[in-house]
Amino acid sequence: MVGVDEAGLWAAELESVFARVAGRFSRVDLGWRMRDNVRGLLAPVGRKNGWQLAEYAGHHGPAGFQHLLNGATWDADAVRDDVQDYVSEELGCPGGVLIVDDTGFLKKGTSSAGVQRQYSGTAGRTENCQIGVFAAYASPKGRALVDRELYLPKSWTGDTGRCRAAGIPGNRGFATKGELARAMILRALASPLPIAWVTGDCAYGQEWRMRRTLEEAGVGYVLAVPKSQQLHAPFGRIDHAIAQAPEEAWERMSCDDGAKGPRLYDWAAARLPAIDVFDGDAPTHERWILARRSMARPDETAYYMAYAPNGATVGDLVRVAGSRWAIEEAFQAAKNECGLDQYEVRRYPGWYRHITLAMLAHAFLAALAARTIEKGAAETTPPASSLSPWQRSGGSWMFSFPAPSPATAPPHTP
């Protein structure tokens, strides 16, 4: 049960959050509606739709909230920037991780912007839904959603009339989920958020442009990739490279704490040689390959490409890989506690406005929780092996293409 003093502190903190974004609403009545809306999103309301939020706020009906989300003039992207500033102040740490992923929103009909039958990882099957691509920020202090984009399938971007009816801007063309994630990453890197790493699943990790963007920015990453991912010449596929790892290269480590305790897996990692054309004479970062093997089902292996500052350890990579679950936890919390998925808006601007206000509410909860949360990361060093492309170099493994013997070496070409 929350005490009177604690409730007063929460109320004061929420007012400070409202003050932070108040300037984005040019009219006083819109500012008050925004406050009532966010308070409702934070409240124990059965379903956080327009009618029930209006009833909780004491309004005669949902018209005011509907106008706030669909008709009023205010910039949801500016509020998103305020959310990023707030999360930076409350959760920011030098080793912070930005996580990209998508989530589905089940919908009926064909009118909601971006809706169609498409695969939803949230449902685990093809459903009639919208897909939102999100970025979350995670640090030892906590995690919060900091950006969002609505994925528009080609069935939408190729139909001008349909887009116009849903309020989709005329300049919004088709973009893959990876391209939307890359745009959010660039925005986050330009924000005050202290980002040392980026992670995501293989839908995003296989995007070569995304990885190269991060390398050019000097930002580390640990990104899942499919088993068919090609390494730079002459190493071939990542699953073939990992298959050559000696058993002593695998180390059992926890990548994070889950609901049932540490998430233990077997991990193998090896550094790759520098790429001269990209890295120059004195590279500050190194590329790695990383694999995660299930203890219960050893035939199930996940693969990662990584880019880490010189001196990074396997434990660092494992920690970053494990932080990807933070966005799943943020989705669950934002949906369960802040109504992220309980909207009834159909038009494109309304989606961004509702999602942004739900993100603001979730960031507030994350900031409150951050004051009591502390986390640490484990660090281990794998053992060595000699006869393999996997060679030990200092405290880590190096995957190097074996030099050809004189008998098999190709003739010199001038």
Side-chain angles (χ1 to χ4, degrees), residues 87-242:
V87 171
S88 174
E89 293 173 13
E90 297 294 331
L91 306 183
C93 289
V97 182
L98 189 75
I99 312 152
V100 291
D101 200 0
D102 53 78
T103 189
F105 301 92
L106 299 182
K107 290 293 168 184
K108 297 180 180 179
T110 60
S111 300
S112 298
V115 71
Q116 73 167 25
R117 285 191 60 79
Q118 54 193 324
Y119 180 79
S120 166
T122 308
R125 59 185 181 273
T126 298
E127 290 281 0
N128 198 62
C129 64
Q130 295 168 301
I131 299 293
V133 182
F134 286 80
Y137 182 80
S139 77
K141 295 182 179 181
R143 64 288 311 270
L145 301 172
V146 294
D147 208 344
R148 71 290 176 264
E149 288 287 357
L150 179 62
Y151 172 68
L152 297 178
K154 290 181 179 179
S155 63
W156 276 84
T157 57
D159 189 334
T160 304
R162 193 182 188 193
C163 286
R164 186 183 304 112
I168 297 171
N171 61 354
R172 175 67 195 271
F174 176 74
T176 67
K177 296 169 189 173
E179 289 168 340
L180 295 176
R182 181 171 175 268
M184 289 192 293
I185 289 170
L186 289 172
R187 284 199 294 264
L189 293 178
S191 78
L193 290 165
I195 299 168
W197 301 89
V198 172
T199 190
D201 67 19
C202 62
Y204 302 97
Q206 64 185 341
E207 294 277 344
W208 180 86
R209 289 183 181 85
M210 180 184 297
R211 300 198 307 268
R212 187 63 195 138
T213 294
L214 293 169
E215 291 176 6
E216 290 174 343
V219 177
Y221 61 74
V222 181
L223 293 164
V225 294
K227 65 181 182 180
S228 59
Q229 177 67 48
Q230 291 288 325
L231 307 177
H232 63 268
F235 299 122
R237 288 168 45 136
I238 190 169
D239 59 340
H240 295 167
I242 293 297

Side-chain angles (χ1 to χ4, degrees), residues 7-339:
L9 291 173
W10 287 13
E13 175 62 20
L14 185 57
E15 283 303 318
S16 74
V17 172
F18 289 152
R20 181 183 293 267
V21 301
R24 308 302 185 183
F25 301 86
S26 57
R27 289 169 39 187
V28 173
D29 61 324
L30 287 181
W32 284 111
R33 284 177 194 166
M34 176 273 295
R35 285 172 162 82
D36 287 346
N37 184 276
V38 174
R39 286 194 183 98
L41 293 176
L42 290 165
V45 177
R47 182 161 181 82
K48 297 173 182 181
N49 55 32
W51 276 103
Q52 293 196 31
L53 291 179
E55 182 179 357
Y56 176 81
H59 296 187
H60 293 300
F65 287 153
Q66 290 170 350
H67 178 67
L68 173 71
L69 298 179
N70 291 307
T73 301
W74 59 279
D75 188 348
D77 286 347
V79 176
R80 174 209 59 207
D81 294 343
D82 293 335
V83 171
Q84 293 186 352
D85 291 348
Y86 180 55
V87 171
S88 174
E89 293 173 13
E90 297 294 331
L91 306 183
C93 289
V97 182
L98 189 75
I99 312 152
V100 291
D101 200 0
D102 53 78
T103 189
F105 301 92
L106 299 182
K107 290 293 168 184
K108 297 180 180 179
T110 60
S111 300
S112 298
V115 71
Q116 73 167 25
R117 285 191 60 79
Q118 54 193 324
Y119 180 79
S120 166
T122 308
R125 59 185 181 273
T126 298
E127 290 281 0
N128 198 62
C129 64
Q130 295 168 301
I131 299 293
V133 182
F134 286 80
Y137 182 80
S139 77
K141 295 182 179 181
R143 64 288 311 270
L145 301 172
V146 294
D147 208 344
R148 71 290 176 264
E149 288 287 357
L150 179 62
Y151 172 68
L152 297 178
K154 290 181 179 179
S155 63
W156 276 84
T157 57
D159 189 334
T160 304
R162 193 182 188 193
C163 286
R164 186 183 304 112
I168 297 171
N171 61 354
R172 175 67 195 271
F174 176 74
T176 67
K177 296 169 189 173
E179 289 168 340
L180 295 176
R182 181 171 175 268
M184 289 192 293
I185 289 170
L186 289 172
R187 284 199 294 264
L189 293 178
S191 78
L193 290 165
I195 299 168
W197 301 89
V198 172
T199 190
D201 67 19
C202 62
Y204 302 97
Q206 64 185 341
E207 294 277 344
W208 180 86
R209 289 183 181 85
M210 180 184 297
R211 300 198 307 268
R212 187 63 195 138
T213 294
L214 293 169
E215 291 176 6
E216 290 174 343
V219 177
Y221 61 74
V222 181
L223 293 164
V225 294
K227 65 181 182 180
S228 59
Q229 177 67 48
Q230 291 288 325
L231 307 177
H232 63 268
F235 299 122
R237 288 168 45 136
I238 190 169
D239 59 340
H240 295 167
I242 293 297
Q244 299 178 63
E247 190 57 34
E248 60 265 31
W250 292 89
E251 182 82 4
R252 186 157 296 175
M253 288 181 275
S254 171
C255 57
D256 197 4
D257 288 332
K260 299 180 180 180
R263 290 188 171 110
L264 287 170
Y265 294 91
D266 292 329
W267 298 83
R271 293 181 296 115
L272 294 168
I275 303 175
D276 292 341
V277 68
F278 290 152
D279 302 327
D281 296 331
T284 60
H285 288 67
E286 296 175 305
R287 293 177 189 81
W288 295 69
I289 53 174
L290 177 70
R292 186 194 74 209
R293 189 173 67 188
S294 170
M295 293 165 50
R297 295 175 291 276
D299 58 328
E300 293 185 6
T301 304
Y303 303 93
Y304 301 83
M305 298 285 291
Y307 184 73
N310 295 346
T313 67
V314 179
D316 294 329
L317 304 183
V318 168
R319 175 184 62 82
V320 176
S323 68
R324 198 195 73 78
W325 279 293
I327 195 169
E328 301 289 350
E329 294 164 355
F331 285 149
Q332 183 177 6
K335 289 179 179 181
N336 292 345
E337 300 171 19
C338 306

